[in-house]
Amino acid sequence: MATEPEPKSTEAPSATAEVHIVYTDQPQGQQPETHHLRTLTSVLGSEEAAKEALLYTYKHAASGFSAKLTPDQVEQLSKQPGVLQVVKSRSAELHSGPAQTHTT
């Protein structure tokens, strides 16, 4: 029995989500975690999707969170009230070469 080939999708492939750090205003009258989740939900469309993307909530030295976001989501999130900055997370290695000894 021959099978029909499946139709090819005309949608563009979705962009890969990468980790970004989102800096926000300090929330007034609500817990930081709740504020960050609501901010993310406003872009991702559901609390479930926001919880899946949310990686960490920052609440001591700065207010914000890290989440896996596509470029379109970064653009939308950047326009949300209270969002100060969205930056791509990156890792850096410290150089730990051999100890230098100086004599005088």
Side-chain angles (χ1 to χ4, degrees):
M1 178 194 259
T3 58
E4 298 269 334
E6 291 192 29
K8 296 194 182 217
S9 174
T10 58
E11 295 179 21
S14 62
T16 303
E18 296 181 285
V19 177
H20 287 76
I21 299 179
V22 181
Y23 295 97
T24 65
D25 287 334
Q26 290 287 346
Q28 301 298 315
Q30 60 181 305
Q31 293 295 317
E33 295 90 348
T34 302
H35 175 69
H36 299 152
L37 195 57
R38 284 184 183 158
T39 302
L40 194 52
T41 298
S42 69
V43 169
L44 300 185
S46 73
E47 189 171 318
E48 183 178 313
K51 285 180 179 178
E52 188 175 310
L54 186 67
L55 300 173
Y56 190 81
T57 294
Y58 303 97
K59 55 189 172 186
H60 297 291
S63 179
F65 57 90
S66 61
K68 288 187 174 182
L69 304 167
T70 65
D72 286 342
Q73 292 166 339
V74 168
E75 184 178 335
Q76 291 175 29
L77 197 56
S78 297
K79 297 175 185 175
Q80 296 299 308
V83 172
L84 304 175
Q85 185 178 24
V86 181
V87 294
K88 186 175 177 183
S89 180
R90 58 187 179 141
S91 297
E93 288 187 37
L94 297 176
H95 177 68
S96 58
Q100 299 285 328
T101 306
H102 296 283
T103 57
T104 56

